[in-house]
Amino acid sequence: RAQLVESGGGSVQAGGSLRLSCVASRDMFLRSCMGWFRQAPGKEREWVARLFTQYGETFVSDSVKGRFSISQDYPKNTVYLEMNNLKPEDTALYTCAAGGGRSECYLDSWRPNYWGRGSQVTVSS
């Protein structure tokens, strides 16, 4: 059964750090594009970072580049989003997503097939 389970959200002051984790079922994790989207109140959902699990190629949005990074633990079917130097504008619901192959993963227009429930990240000034 396809499943994505997230953890690691919370509240932090500006300048702080958080790490989100997303555990996928093994079938979903293998040779898949996985990543994170976020949506702030009143704003459209935007992609934050993604990677292709088989080769570990990563892609990070310009809006967070230099502060956020994405990585994986292949044996644990887990993808991480490391968020540093957080700002109040990073406050959003962060959702793990998966689906698609390598060629799709190269595109910012990537459309996942599967979604987690989301983890709230709140950054106070």
Side-chain angles (χ1 to χ4, degrees), residues 36-91:
W36 299 88
F37 286 73
R38 69 182 182 183
Q39 187 167 20
K43 293 188 176 181
E44 290 188 357
R45 184 168 61 194
E46 62 171 339
W47 76 274
V48 177
R50 63 188 188 270
L51 59 78
F52 186 65
T53 59
Q54 185 176 11
Y55 300 116
E57 299 151 307
T58 63
F59 308 89
V60 180
S61 171
D62 287 344
S63 64
V64 300
K65 193 168 291 182
R67 299 188 297 120
F68 291 15
S69 62
I70 186 170
S71 62
Q72 63 177 346
D73 187 329
Y74 200 86
K76 295 183 178 179
N77 309 335
T78 302
V79 173
Y80 302 100
L81 182 68
E82 187 77 36
M83 304 180 291
N84 299 311
N85 190 21
L86 282 160
K87 304 176 180 181
E89 52 264 41
D90 295 318
T91 295

Side-chain angles (χ1 to χ4, degrees), residues 27-43:
D27 287 347
M28 184 185 298
F29 186 82
L30 295 176
R31 296 179 296 279
S32 179
C33 192
M34 288 189 63
W36 299 88
F37 286 73
R38 69 182 182 183
Q39 187 167 20
K43 293 188 176 181

Side-chain angles (χ1 to χ4, degrees), residues 4-8 21-23 36 94-97 115-119:
L4 296 169
V5 180
E6 302 137 324
S7 61
S21 301
C22 177
V23 181
W36 299 88
Y94 286 71
T95 306
C96 179
W115 298 86
R117 293 187 175 184
S119 293

